[in-house]
Amino acid sequence: MIELPVVPAVQPQRKPDWLRVKLPVGKEYAHVRGLVDTHKLHTICESGNCPNMGECWGAGTATFMILGNICTRSCSFCAVATGRPLAVDWNEPERVASSVKLMQVKHCVITSVDRDDLKDGGSTIWAETINAIRRESPETTLETLIPDFRGIWDNLDRVLAVRPEVVSHNLETVRELTKEVRIQAKYDRSLECLSRISAAGVRTKSGIMLGLGEREDQVLQAMDDLLEAGVHILTLGQYLQPTKNHHPVVDWIHPDQFMFYKTIGLEKGFRYVESGPLVRSSYHAEKHLFEF
């Protein structure tokens, strides 16, 4: 049985004014938009209706999702379909690399569904995709937003071996809400995943959604846990409920609170903190290539 969250009787359904999204504009955005439409390219930026798509495309950053669009997990916050995934497409690395080259992506972010059905957790496709992009676009830098590979660390090592510039794994929420928000994940397993990434000498990144019912002290504790795991970069954004069947939005977090978390996070020791209502995992990703 899953313990249901305690939420207010009346849900805060109306989005506040600070969640309004500006229409994407600009010469660079228009150029990428044209390439995507002409060549029927697929990015998670577009399919996920990311509020920052125009800004990121204008900065030369784009995010691609590999290993299909059916996840083996059923997290209560995520809109990705759950079920039995299709067979692995071994041509996918070359297709993604071709899209990156056509779009002239300067900084490429790659993410994926969880593939707990595969012995390697999809890590072979991960590594081959990174290598394919490097062959086609050697100047493009790479960030990988990876799953926890169920704690089978040989699969994580396969991704780390090809040395993407940034490796990210999202904690998503505080310890106290993990069981109801990330049903098949474990808070401490995610921390171990991040610790292993950091120990490998790679820029390490994680993200937390706010508005799920967490308390301020729990968020601050999660920050401390991430720092202890060696995380360098933290993103904090407002959770938005995909459908009525997903975890409800319990709170709309004010921009001032996001700024407070950013200030505290930098004081605690993170190298970068991206914190705001519309911040998503890959927001300003191109700025996170700091020197060690």
Side-chain angles (χ1 to χ4, degrees):
M1 298 292 290
I2 301 167
E3 184 179 354
L4 296 175
V6 177
V7 297
V10 179
Q11 289 297 310
Q13 296 294 337
R14 184 180 178 276
K15 292 180 183 178
D17 291 341
W18 61 78
L19 281 171
R20 290 180 179 175
V21 181
K22 295 180 180 179
L23 291 174
V25 294
K27 183 178 178 181
E28 287 297 322
Y29 168 79
H31 172 67
V32 176
R33 170 84 275 165
L35 288 170
V36 168
D37 291 343
T38 299
H39 298 281
K40 295 181 171 55
L41 306 179
H42 171 73
T43 68
I44 194 66
C45 319
E46 185 181 28
S47 61
N49 294 317
C50 180
N52 308 307
M53 181 170 62
E55 183 178 356
C56 290
W57 283 10
T61 300
T63 302
F64 297 84
M65 188 167 75
I66 61 175
L67 290 162
N69 58 3
I70 300 175
C71 189
T72 54
R73 300 190 186 181
S74 53
C75 299
S76 68
F77 69 89
C78 184
V80 175
T82 301
R84 184 186 295 275
L86 300 176
V88 170
D89 178 0
W90 294 103
N91 294 319
E92 184 173 46
E94 297 300 332
R95 283 207 319 278
V96 172
S98 295
S99 295
V100 170
K101 186 175 182 178
L102 278 168
M103 293 172 65
Q104 301 175 343
V105 175
K106 298 173 185 175
H107 184 67
C108 178
V109 182
I110 307 168
T111 187
S112 80
V113 293
D114 282 281
R115 291 301 301 260
D116 296 335
D117 59 312
L118 301 174
K119 184 177 181 180
D120 73 344
S123 59
T124 302
I125 287 287
W126 268 104
E128 291 187 1
T129 301
I130 293 166
N131 287 332
I133 293 170
R134 288 219 168 105
R135 286 193 300 270
E136 292 289 329
S137 305
E139 299 302 316
T140 297
T141 52
L142 290 157
E143 175 180 324
T144 55
L145 174 54
I146 61 171
D148 60 19
F149 295 113
R150 291 186 300 151
I152 301 174
W153 303 125
D154 286 347
N155 294 334
L156 171 63
D157 292 342
R158 190 171 287 115
V159 178
L160 296 176
V162 293
R163 308 300 293 179
E165 279 74 15
V166 180
V167 180
S168 178
H169 171 68
N170 284 342
L171 195 61
E172 304 292 11
T173 189
V174 299
R175 180 185 293 277
E176 292 80 0
L177 294 178
T178 295
K179 285 185 178 180
E180 67 191 52
V181 174
R182 305 173 67 209
I183 298 166
Q184 290 127 304
K186 299 180 187 298
Y187 186 87
D188 289 312
R189 187 166 69 193
S190 285
L191 290 176
E192 183 175 356
C193 180
L194 290 161
S195 181
R196 286 173 176 271
I197 296 166
S198 184
V202 180
R203 298 171 188 83
T204 308
K205 179 176 175 180
S206 191
I208 297 174
M209 299 174 293
L210 302 181
L212 290 159
E214 69 289 327
R215 300 192 311 267
E216 181 180 292
D217 64 299
Q218 294 170 339
V219 176
L220 299 181
Q221 181 60 56
M223 286 186 183
D224 290 339
D225 294 340
L226 289 170
L227 282 168
E228 187 175 353
V231 172
H232 307 106
I233 306 155
L234 174 66
T235 63
L236 298 158
Q238 171 71 53
Y239 166 67
L240 299 176
Q241 185 178 6
T243 74
K244 64 180 182 180
N245 297 320
H246 287 81
H247 193 293
V249 174
V250 178
D251 301 298
W252 298 115
I253 309 302
H254 194 275
D256 290 346
Q257 185 68 20
F258 277 106
M259 185 55 64
F260 166 77
Y261 285 135
K262 179 173 184 174
T263 301
I264 293 296
L266 292 171
E267 289 176 354
K268 283 178 175 290
F270 289 105
R271 293 288 296 270
Y272 280 90
V273 179
E274 302 289 352
S275 181
L278 296 176
V279 167
R280 297 297 178 261
S281 296
S282 58
Y283 186 63
H284 285 171
E286 74 284 352
K287 297 182 178 181
H288 301 155
L289 300 171
F290 58 84
E291 296 295 329
F292 277 96

